[in-house]
Amino acid sequence: MKTVYLAIGLLILHVSARCVTIPDLLSPDKKIRVHIEAGNGLSYAVSYEGQPLLTPSHIGLEISDLPVNWSVRGVSTRAVQANILSPVPEKRRQIPDHYNELTIRFRQPISLIFRVYDDGVAYRFVTHIKDSITVNQETAQFNFPQPHKMYYPEVVKRENVDSFHTSFEELYQLKPMDSLTAANLCFSPLLVAPANGPRVLITESDLEDYPGMFLTGTGGAALRGKFAPYPLQEGVTEGEFPQLIVTARAPFLASTNGTRAFPWRVLVIAATDKELPANDLVYRLAAPSRLQDVSWIKPGKGTDEWIIGINLFNVPFKTGVNTSTYKYYIDFAKRFGFNRIMMDAGWSDYKDLFKINPAINMDEIAAYAKAKGISLSMWTLAMTLDRQLEPALAQFNKWGVDFIMTDFMDRDDQKTVNFYHRIAAACARHQLMIMFHGAFKPAGFNRTWPNAVTREGVLGSEYNIWSNKVTPEHDLLLPFIRMVSGPMDYEPGIMDNATEKTFRPIGDKVMSMGTRCHQGAMFVVYDSPIQLFSGNPSQGLLEPAYMELLGSIPTVWDTTVIADARLGDYIVTARKSGTDWYIGAMTDWSPRTLEIPLHFLEPGSYTLTRCGDGVNADRYPSDYRIDTLTVNRDSTLTIRMAPGGGYLARLQKR
């Protein structure tokens, strides 16, 4: 549901006019100003409270057989005060959508729309051409007054494929902008962090039938958009998880409908660090939901066995990808309030979803799960799912599966982007939720397809198996950068916790850097309407109080408050569900004590159940303490965190 109040002003410019002055566009609070120039070229500049954020930056769209002509025919403006009701609220249920908009109609059949919000700027092209078109190139420049430092994830080129193949899972590097050249290909979102002035996060929204935007450097104070050309020919990789790769690309970006809107180019503007994690501008810009009925979408928590290698203990059966193991996971989920389990890679042949692992009796597992009130979730290989799509989804329905994952796309060219929409639509027809792994950022996809509840595109827990990349510092960048573009499947909850000194990447005995409470806090801090617990259930059964607290945490929220935060250092997130509040806090390798006023609470008293770092968590990070106290909105919460530490609390209205 969306209620809209419009104030519209229209300025008609005579066709004979040779020089047109386009009015500046201001944010509702008048802090952000956008200045646009059109004529021989097309550019825009952005300022915040009079301070230049972007200097004149060229933009454009090159379409075959359409001469470039940015002469203006007309300009219209409107002010919008709307409210979006999110059916799957990863941050908040009611989303205010207030902005000022300017639309420029050019003499050629193209329009340009700018929107300015109190927290950002976005623009998009719209074409009005009857026939299909070929987009040869898009110009998207981001020119800054000086080469600020920036946090960016750079593509690491793989052997035997071009640089547009990536799983979108890299660490964030912090370097001055002028250290990047055209040879550095980065994927969005990335964050420009001036020494003084607002943070500027660059990303996109409403990506459909078009390639995603990468960014390159220029050796100066500017970034340039770069897009994967259309794939003309594809091959298939060898190995355990085969996937499609591009062997030849076209000299154009996309062949598409001539009457359409193109993706939004988005600048999220945050005066303070704490404004970033709860920002939902990308969601607001996305196309509205295409689903009439969303009652069957059931967010919640599940288990995943893949990261720990199903290395269970204290069980009377041989563990592995087999019926007994999955029944054990079902019992565990039921015991601690989870509503599903994931059957990850190995339940079937990767290349044939109907060739079931002989150690698995799917009918028995499905019946057992149904009797316990636990849903099943299934992993699939993208190539296989696409080939067997309709019969596979029908079979999932018969088994009582309500959520699937598909994996190993590792691209965002036009053909791959269209795959996402096609798969989400098919899953919706079968009332299945979907998660994409080996995936680019959501870019608002979760608004258009609410059944696409989360996705990867994040360097998360699985990297603990084979690397030392997943540090508390990395964990404390994700809420401020990657999470701004949409929910992310990090898969927290590892229960073997290590210091920086004692950590080792060991398959089948996977540990995480930082404390147990650092892992637990992620269930509150990180947006994901389906959270997958990646810890070892056998360990969890030995710690029922901890698991019961973890099991109580919702995955969708009425509202979100960032109580305190500093980019890359720490965060304190408070979220409300019903009458209860939950607090998650995380720190980097620096120990911290934070004083958090609870003024966001409603009047009345609350029972606070807290899980904090134990007194020895600096040396033994699995050390924690759970206790309770009574608080109200006049209370101040003292949060003490060990190096790499965390804090988790539930506040129940008395």
Side-chain angles (χ1 to χ4, degrees):
M1 178 182 295
K2 185 170 182 177
T3 306
V4 184
Y5 304 93
L6 302 180
I8 302 177
L10 181 63
L11 173 62
I12 302 297
L13 303 169
H14 296 293
V15 174
S16 59
R18 298 184 61 188
C19 182
V20 173
T21 300
I22 300 168
D24 286 356
L25 188 62
L26 298 176
S27 59
D29 66 4
K30 299 185 174 15
K31 292 183 179 181
I32 302 173
R33 178 183 294 270
V34 177
H35 178 75
I36 305 159
E37 295 281 351
N40 294 331
L42 188 60
S43 67
Y44 74 107
V46 180
S47 62
Y48 181 86
E49 293 188 328
Q51 174 186 349
L53 292 186
L54 254 66
T55 57
S57 302
H58 290 289
I59 59 177
L61 202 63
E62 181 187 316
I63 299 172
S64 290
D65 302 321
L66 185 67
V68 176
N69 180 1
W70 299 117
S71 297
V72 176
R73 189 174 65 179
V75 175
S76 62
T77 62
R78 65 174 184 156
V80 174
Q81 288 190 315
N83 187 59
I84 300 169
L85 180 62
S86 174
V88 186
E90 63 263 14
K91 295 181 189 288
R92 57 186 56 83
R93 193 169 301 278
Q94 297 280 349
I95 303 175
D97 191 27
H98 303 166
Y99 59 87
N100 292 327
E101 182 179 275
L102 182 146
T103 300
I104 306 171
R105 284 291 297 266
F106 299 102
R107 291 186 181 180
Q108 60 183 349
I110 298 180
S111 298
L112 174 63
I113 302 174
F114 267 90
R115 287 185 184 176
V116 184
Y117 300 76
D118 289 344
D119 56 356
V121 173
Y123 73 85
R124 78 187 318 174
F125 289 99
V126 179
T127 51
H128 317 277
I129 301 169
K130 182 178 180 181
D131 300 321
S132 62
I133 58 175
T134 299
V135 179
N136 294 329
Q137 194 54 262
E138 178 182 345
T139 300
Q141 296 184 356
F142 304 90
N143 298 337
F144 290 84
Q146 55 183 300
H148 302 300
K149 287 186 177 180
M150 54 181 280
Y151 294 84
Y152 65 93
E154 184 175 356
V155 175
V156 176
K157 189 179 180 307
R158 302 175 178 180
E159 292 184 8
N160 303 319
V161 293
D162 65 33
S163 56
F164 295 109
H165 293 79
T166 174
S167 62
F168 303 91
E169 301 167 314
E170 299 295 342
L171 292 173
Y172 292 99
Q173 302 180 53
L174 175 61
K175 291 182 181 179
M177 195 178 297
D178 56 4
S179 67
L180 274 71
T181 69
N184 302 106
L185 186 69
C186 310
F187 53 87
S188 73
L190 57 74
L191 184 65
V192 179
N196 298 296
R199 313 288 192 183
V200 180
L201 182 136
I202 302 175
T203 189
E204 59 189 331
S205 184
D206 205 16
L207 177 60
E208 183 171 7
D209 198 28
Y210 199 75
M213 181 177 68
F214 291 84
L215 293 151
T216 66
T218 61
L223 300 170
R224 300 288 184 268
K226 190 170 183 177
F227 306 86
Y230 186 83
L232 281 180
Q233 297 177 9
E234 294 175 306
V236 178
T237 61
E238 298 178 354
E240 187 177 15
F241 301 105
Q243 64 186 124
L244 289 170
I245 59 168
V246 179
T247 56
R249 293 194 184 269
F252 59 84
L253 302 183
S255 178
T256 187
N257 293 330
T259 301
R260 63 159 295 174
F262 287 82
W264 290 102
R265 307 291 164 230
V266 183
L267 300 172
V268 176
I269 298 170
T272 63
D273 290 345
K274 64 188 268 186
E275 294 174 22
L276 284 166
N279 187 286
D280 47 26
L281 179 57
V282 170
Y283 186 96
R284 284 174 263 153
L285 287 163
S289 172
R290 293 179 185 166
L291 306 185
Q292 296 299 315
D293 175 25
V294 296
S295 61
W296 52 271
I297 298 175
K298 304 295 184 185
K301 287 192 298 299
T303 62
D304 185 68
E305 78 281 3
W306 185 77
I307 289 178
I308 67 159
I310 321 182
N311 195 8
L312 307 175
F313 58 91
N314 288 344
V315 296
F317 55 87
K318 192 69 174 177
T319 63
V321 183
N322 58 44
T323 301
S324 295
T325 295
Y326 284 121
K327 290 171 75 172
Y328 178 88
Y329 269 88
I330 291 167
D331 288 339
F332 175 83
K334 181 67 174 179
R335 167 70 176 81
F336 294 112
F338 293 16
N339 57 1
R340 62 177 45 82
I341 69 161
M342 172 69 71
M343 297 180 66
D344 214 312
W347 67 268
S348 76
D349 187 301
Y350 301 153
K351 301 177 184 179
D352 187 349
L353 296 172
F354 294 91
K355 190 176 180 181
I356 310 300
N357 185 323
I360 286 177
N361 185 322
M362 277 306 306
D363 290 335
E364 183 179 347
I365 292 172
Y368 192 77
K370 183 177 180 180
K372 296 284 187 175
I374 300 298
S375 297
L376 298 179
S377 308
M378 315 294 282
W379 178 94
T380 68
L381 187 70
M383 278 183 55
T384 306
L385 179 65
D386 201 17
R387 188 179 69 252
Q388 299 181 319
L389 185 59
E390 285 299 327
L393 298 185
Q395 181 61 67
F396 291 148
N397 288 150
K398 292 177 183 177
W399 286 333
V401 172
D402 72 344
F403 172 56
I404 68 169
M405 178 205 301
T406 198
D407 204 349
F408 290 99
M409 290 78 69
D410 293 357
R411 289 160 40 195
D412 71 350
D413 50 47
Q414 183 190 18
K415 183 176 179 181
T416 307
V417 168
N418 289 347
F419 165 85
Y420 283 63
H421 285 269
R422 186 173 70 255
I423 296 299
C427 286
R429 289 194 299 271
H430 287 265
Q431 297 194 349
L432 289 166
M433 295 177 286
I434 174 75
M435 169 169 66
F436 298 95
H437 270 213
F440 56 90
K441 77 277 179 187
F445 192 90
N446 48 311
R447 181 182 179 193
T448 308
W449 298 104
N451 62 314
V453 287
T454 190
R455 70 172 63 179
E456 200 176 34
V458 63
L459 194 153
S461 283
E462 66 178 345
Y463 275 77
N464 288 303
I465 301 172
W466 59 78
S467 80
N468 60 357
K469 292 183 176 182
V470 188
T471 64
E473 283 90 349
H474 170 72
D475 297 338
L476 266 299
L477 290 173
L478 294 176
F480 302 88
I481 307 175
R482 164 60 181 84
M483 201 171 80
V484 180
S485 70
M488 56 187 193
D489 182 48
Y490 181 101
E491 301 192 7
I494 291 178
M495 303 188 78
D496 192 347
N497 314 112
T499 66
E500 187 174 20
K501 178 181 177 181
T502 60
F503 176 83
R504 300 291 186 276
I506 304 172
D508 292 344
K509 195 181 185 306
V510 177
M511 61 186 78
S512 67
M513 291 193 208
T515 69
R516 174 73 59 78
C517 293
H518 186 90
Q519 287 285 309
M522 293 177 183
F523 287 90
V524 174
V525 172
Y526 290 167
D527 295 342
S528 188
I530 285 186
Q531 290 276 17
L532 294 181
F533 169 76
S534 63
N536 193 320
S538 297
Q539 182 65 39
L541 286 167
L542 299 177
E543 303 178 36
Y546 176 81
M547 288 307 309
E548 286 164 4
L549 177 59
L550 216 60
S552 74
I553 303 171
T555 60
V556 290
W557 307 97
D558 296 327
T559 193
T560 293
V561 175
I562 307 301
D564 196 5
R566 192 164 66 211
L567 175 67
D569 291 341
Y570 65 88
I571 188 170
V572 182
T573 301
R575 304 202 197 238
K576 184 185 179 186
S577 176
T579 60
D580 291 352
W581 283 83
Y582 296 79
I583 296 174
M586 299 162 60
T587 185
D588 59 5
W589 283 126
S590 298
R592 297 184 195 278
T593 298
L594 302 174
E595 302 292 331
I596 305 298
L598 299 180
H599 51 70
F600 51 81
L601 298 176
E602 289 78 16
S605 61
Y606 292 77
T607 298
L608 184 147
T609 302
R610 62 182 175 183
C611 180
D613 291 330
V615 67
N616 294 305
D618 58 333
R619 296 184 58 207
Y620 188 79
S622 294
D623 186 28
Y624 63 89
R625 179 186 176 189
I626 296 177
D627 61 4
T628 61
L629 62 155
T630 301
V631 298
N632 58 42
R633 64 183 307 169
D634 296 322
S635 304
T636 296
L637 196 62
T638 299
I639 296 177
R640 296 184 178 88
M641 294 182 283
Y647 179 96
L648 176 63
R650 180 185 186 185
L651 294 85
Q652 295 172 277
K653 195 74 176 287
R654 294 167 66 96

